[in-house]
Amino acid sequence: EKRLLADLHAEARTAQNALARRFLPLLVAFLRGRYPRATDDHVNGAADEALMSLIERPARYDPTRGPLSTYL
C-alpha cells in the first residue's frame, strides 16, 4: 500500500489503475453486503466516488489511523 500511495501522490496513472484493480471489487462487495437493496448503479457509483476521492486527494488518507481498505 505504501508504494501505491506514493505513486498516487506523484499522480501516476498506473497507480490509479492499480488502485481500482485492487480495491474496486472489495468496495463493491462490501457495499452490496451492507446495502442489499441498493441498485447496481448506486453501489458502483458509491465505490467509484470513494476511489476518485482518494485519487484526487490522497493526502487526506492518514495511514497511522488504519488500513487503506478501512479508509475507503
Side-chain angles (χ1 to χ4, degrees), residues 15-68:
Q16 295 173 10
N17 292 335
L19 180 75
R21 279 192 309 274
R22 182 168 178 188
F23 288 102
L24 189 59
L26 298 172
L27 283 169
V28 168
F30 170 78
L31 291 168
R32 284 193 201 288
R34 181 85 168 127
Y35 303 101
R37 294 182 185 187
T39 66
D40 287 345
D41 286 343
H42 284 114
V43 168
N44 292 327
D48 288 344
E49 285 182 34
L51 289 177
M52 288 307 300
S53 177
L54 179 64
I55 288 168
E56 292 170 358
R57 293 179 289 297
R60 293 182 75 190
Y61 167 64
D62 179 359
T64 64
R65 297 188 66 194
L68 184 56

